[in-house]
Amino acid sequence: NKMVRSFIEGIVEERSAQKELGGDFLGNLLRAREDLKEASSSKMDGKSHDSIEDTMTDVILTLLFAGQDTTALAITYAILEIARNPRVNKSIQEEINLVWKTQEEGNEEGNTSLPDPAALVYCSAVITEALRLYPSLPGFVRTLTKPVKVGEGSEEYTLPIDTYTYMPFWLIHRDERNFERATDFLPERWVKKNSEGKWEERDAAKGKKQSDQQAVSDEKKVCDADSVVQVGAGNKNAFFAFSTGGRSCAGEKFAKLETVLVLASILKKLDFSWKEGWDLKVMHASTGQKPSDMVPIMVSVR
């Protein structure tokens, strides 16, 4: 940990010495640090200065290392499902080719910046569907700090304070009451093609009760005019890959951007196929889940 912190502090010191801090994350973080120092300069002593430096190093450490295992796991499952679903593979490759071509045509010579993640709509849906089927955390435990009502009508009951509860995300995500064809890998439950043939997000299940069938069936069977996929829109109210509420994952947005760009970058250069007949077995543990054995994926250069 000391070696890593020292490495980060060296990078920060080197960038701070430059006239232009840059417009990337580190540059913006350094500017925020200077603004904070300036705003509290009259009250700041040596200890406060060190505290600001330590906090900035902690933020960089968190972004570099927090969630690396879960991000790698999500990409692994996404690649597995892409490898064994030719239709999904075709759709995501078409989008990546188009987005990268557009990016390269708009770039100045020598500019190798990545494309806008917002343009990778289907790729994002593939990641979301991988997280739905294989949430890195199968569930979590909470102790209630106030009474909570669950159920409806005659089945409604109240859980008292200090009740020890378990939220089984794995089961919720695979429940047919929440997702049609719940055990199938179908990115089209999250996106559809518009009249221009471009992928866009589906809007069902925003604030609707799951008992209302319309919540999961908007534009049913119209995901993609060129596809045989027939599935209702995904119920976003039953999607808990990043948990929910005040204690949900603080890095959710960063994780989504990261996984989409990494997956697209991989698929731009590599093709994947899987061993026919191989059966995926998942090992659950208190800290998460992972494949119980090596995933037999064959890789080839595009």
Side-chain angles (χ1 to χ4, degrees):
N1 186 39
K2 287 183 179 180
M3 184 176 68
V4 176
R5 293 187 73 89
S6 178
F7 173 72
I8 291 174
E9 288 165 359
I11 292 176
V12 170
E13 184 177 347
E14 182 180 341
R15 179 69 71 87
S16 298
Q18 297 178 7
K19 291 183 179 180
E20 295 293 333
L21 295 179
D24 58 5
F25 172 78
L26 181 56
N28 290 327
L29 191 62
L30 289 172
R31 274 187 284 273
R33 179 193 66 176
E34 296 308 313
D35 290 343
L36 181 59
K37 286 181 179 180
E38 184 178 341
S40 51
S41 58
S42 60
K43 304 176 183 178
M44 190 161 53
D45 53 20
K47 186 176 180 180
S48 299
H49 178 276
D50 291 342
S51 177
I52 292 175
E53 297 298 322
D54 288 342
T55 299
M56 187 174 68
T57 301
D58 289 339
V59 169
I60 297 173
L61 271 171
T62 299
L63 286 172
L64 282 176
F65 297 108
Q68 60 179 325
D69 290 343
T70 52
T71 298
L73 193 64
I75 293 172
T76 298
Y77 282 124
I79 289 175
L80 168 63
E81 291 294 347
I82 289 168
R84 62 183 184 181
N85 285 280
R87 175 188 53 77
V88 174
N89 190 13
K90 179 175 180 291
S91 294
I92 197 170
Q93 291 289 4
E94 287 176 349
E95 180 182 71
I96 289 171
N97 290 342
L98 177 61
V99 169
W100 234 280
K101 181 181 179 182
T102 303
Q103 174 73 12
E104 290 171 352
E105 289 175 349
N107 278 345
E108 297 178 2
E109 187 175 352
N111 186 345
T112 58
S113 60
L114 293 169
D116 181 1
L120 296 163
V121 180
Y122 191 82
C123 187
S124 179
V126 167
I127 290 292
T128 301
E129 186 68 350
L131 289 169
R132 182 191 70 83
L133 269 181
Y134 310 103
S136 54
L137 190 65
F140 72 54
V141 174
R142 289 286 185 268
T143 300
L144 300 184
T145 58
K146 61 182 180 180
V148 174
K149 289 185 178 181
V150 296
E152 294 181 343
S154 60
E155 296 182 352
E156 180 180 295
Y157 55 96
T158 300
L159 300 174
I161 294 176
D162 293 331
T163 298
Y164 195 64
T165 63
Y166 178 71
M167 291 285 290
F169 300 153
W170 189 276
L171 298 179
I172 292 171
H173 286 181
R174 291 166 176 257
D175 192 322
E176 290 285 343
R177 293 171 294 181
N178 298 322
F179 297 96
E180 294 181 16
R181 298 173 61 181
T183 58
D184 292 341
F185 186 83
L186 300 170
E188 289 81 1
R189 72 174 79 249
W190 306 107
V191 293
K192 64 178 181 180
K193 277 190 175 179
N194 59 25
S195 58
E196 297 177 353
K198 296 181 179 179
W199 291 104
E200 65 181 15
E201 185 179 357
R202 298 179 73 176
D203 295 326
K206 287 187 177 179
K208 297 182 179 181
K209 293 182 179 179
Q210 188 55 35
S211 57
D212 181 1
Q213 282 299 312
Q214 189 63 27
V216 291
S217 301
D218 83 311
E219 299 156 332
K220 189 177 176 69
K221 303 181 182 180
V222 195
C223 306
D224 178 357
D226 301 324
S227 172
V228 296
V229 175
Q230 298 183 2
V231 64
N235 180 8
K236 297 176 183 178
N237 293 330
F239 180 77
F240 299 110
F242 295 96
S243 187
T244 186
R247 294 192 178 184
S248 60
C249 176
E252 177 178 352
K253 290 185 178 180
F254 179 79
K256 286 180 177 178
L257 293 176
E258 181 182 33
T259 50
V260 167
L261 285 175
V262 170
L263 180 62
S265 299
I266 292 172
L267 294 177
K268 178 177 180 288
K269 296 185 177 182
L270 302 175
D271 279 321
F272 298 89
S273 57
W274 75 299
K275 184 178 179 181
E276 293 287 344
W278 177 77
D279 184 29
L280 172 65
K281 294 181 180 178
V282 177
M283 178 176 65
H284 288 218
S286 58
T287 55
Q289 57 82 12
K290 63 179 182 179
S292 58
D293 202 353
M294 298 288 287
V295 179
I297 293 289
M298 280 69 80
V299 185
S300 58
V301 178
R302 292 187 68 191

